[in-house]
Amino acid sequence: MLTVTDYDYNINYRKLNNDRNVFHNALKYVLMGEKRFHVEGEGYDYDLVYEDNDVRAKKDPAFPDSDFFLSEMLYPPYYFYDENDLSKINMYLLEGFDEIFFEETNEYTAVIAGLALKNTKMQVTCRNANMHLFPWLNGKVKFAGKPQTDNCLYVQHEHYPYFEDPQRYSTFDLFHSLFIMQWLTSEPIEKIKYLSIMIRKTEGIGSILSTYSSISKALDRYNIKPFIEPNSTRFSNELLTKYFNIGEVPEDSNENNTIYVKSFNAFLLNHFMDMCRSDVKLNMLKDTFVQQMKEYADQIIGDKKVLGVLLRGTDIIIANYKGSYNPASIDDCIRIINERMEKYGYDKIFVATEDTNFLEIMLNAFPGKVLAVAQERHRISDFKGLKYISDLEKKTYTGPAYYASVEDTTVNYLYAVYILSRCESFISNCVCSGSKLVTSFNEGRFVRNEIVSEMPQDR
């Protein structure tokens, strides 16, 4: 991204004309290694300074201190983009707002302001007066210290978690969400039929199903069908096709009609995708598998009044997520579960967890009340030098034993998720792919659906 700063008269830089193409002209020379430019024209002189999007975002103190976010590119560089090609700009992200408010002036806010003024009826407001430096915007942008309307799309300088608020963006996230289709392909969008997604090998089956569902919804407006790149996950293609109805590689897919996504985080973690919440239904699973789980759940639950509890631990704790994605303490969970047991009189608690310690604590806290399936479980102490359950699986098993272990763990996990979805009410210690999967399978039938990490801490 090109940021705006004062004209430095003491050092010579390449001079550019202050016209509508100034950003594109500067980016051509950025590709040649230049980082700073003098801009002159119409009485306003200023400098543009190039900063790498991903590097700048990750230096922000507000950026999540988690390996999941830090280990891969989140914001790609946009050396080439076309603000006139509306066929590949997600303008619908600006719909429904009366105003767009920018905290700062830079390349991206100027481009988005131009898009809003040309293609919407939104009021464009900016806190930083440097927006008047651009003649094509001068006189059209209002300047104020805060939004002028209640129905405002707020664009702030600092990194803002993409999943927190649909009316609040960081500059990087809004630009990326608007132009993501141009990042994905230089081909005309009508030529694209498919998208191949390479999913991180650390992702569990719940995340894979949720990801596939979200991508399908996001791309539906473009009539693009997704499929999972073969052998990109830690699950064999045989396992995926045995248990799930998810897209296989179409026979007519080729480089001319298919987008190949290799950067998982950059594609998934933005408002473009987050506005298409995953909706994983049981029809994504093979009918015979669903029937087997139903028969087992009927035996476990019967006519009992059951509270379903998901306690995510081990590697999600190590990942150091923030907010509702960070698991609540087990003590808080026990307290909440106790309150619900006393108030609503549940006969049993069905507990799903991959954390051995959590299950032992639950068995001691609620003797004779806990039900569970035979999941493979671990302790945080097992993860010495490791970050993910997938790392631990690879360390423990090799060859055919590894794939057999992955299949067994996956099947048991889905049995646990399905049984949770059949309980009267549900409690999870945090937001995770498992809690989302349980809620999707349940289809709104829970009497109560609670996330402990989202509850007030001063309870």
Side-chain angles (χ1 to χ4, degrees), residues 182-245:
Q182 294 192 21
W183 170 63
L184 290 171
T185 180
S186 59
E187 296 287 344
I189 199 64
E190 59 270 16
K191 289 183 60 176
I192 304 300
K193 296 174 62 176
Y194 308 110
L195 181 142
S196 171
I197 176 69
M198 184 168 69
I199 296 180
R200 291 166 58 128
K201 289 187 179 293
T202 55
E203 299 303 293
I205 195 63
S207 174
I208 291 172
L209 294 175
S210 297
T211 296
Y212 184 81
S213 172
S214 295
I215 294 174
S216 297
K217 292 172 69 175
L219 296 179
D220 186 59
R221 67 176 58 246
Y222 292 105
N223 295 314
I224 297 173
K225 303 297 181 185
F227 62 88
I228 297 173
E229 182 173 318
N231 303 312
S232 67
T233 76
R234 73 175 190 262
F235 304 95
S236 67
N237 293 336
E238 291 76 16
L239 184 150
L240 294 177
T241 56
K242 180 178 178 180
Y243 294 102
F244 308 104
N245 297 312

Side-chain angles (χ1 to χ4, degrees), residues 240-257:
L240 294 177
T241 56
K242 180 178 178 180
Y243 294 102
F244 308 104
N245 297 312
I246 53 181
E248 299 182 42
V249 180
E251 292 184 0
D252 63 335
S253 171
N254 57 55
E255 292 187 356
N256 296 319
N257 64 16

Side-chain angles (χ1 to χ4, degrees), residues 156-195:
Q156 70 179 44
H157 170 73
E158 292 85 0
H159 172 80
Y160 195 85
Y162 74 97
F163 46 77
E164 293 290 347
D165 186 345
Q167 289 188 223
R168 199 175 185 100
Y169 290 67
S170 73
T171 303
F172 291 131
D173 184 43
L174 181 55
F175 188 89
H176 181 42
S177 297
L178 285 168
F179 285 88
I180 188 171
M181 300 308 295
Q182 294 192 21
W183 170 63
L184 290 171
T185 180
S186 59
E187 296 287 344
I189 199 64
E190 59 270 16
K191 289 183 60 176
I192 304 300
K193 296 174 62 176
Y194 308 110
L195 181 142

Side-chain angles (χ1 to χ4, degrees), residues 66-73 197-205 207-208 211 228 231-235 261-266 268-269 321 387-388 390 394:
S66 167
D67 180 66
F68 181 85
F69 295 95
L70 294 170
S71 62
E72 287 190 7
M73 177 182 69
I197 176 69
M198 184 168 69
I199 296 180
R200 291 166 58 128
K201 289 187 179 293
T202 55
E203 299 303 293
I205 195 63
S207 174
I208 291 172
T211 296
I228 297 173
N231 303 312
S232 67
T233 76
R234 73 175 190 262
F235 304 95
V261 178
K262 307 299 182 180
S263 299
F264 182 81
N265 281 1
L268 269 296
L269 304 182
Y321 291 122
K387 294 180 179 178
Y388 303 105
S390 58
K394 292 175 183 177

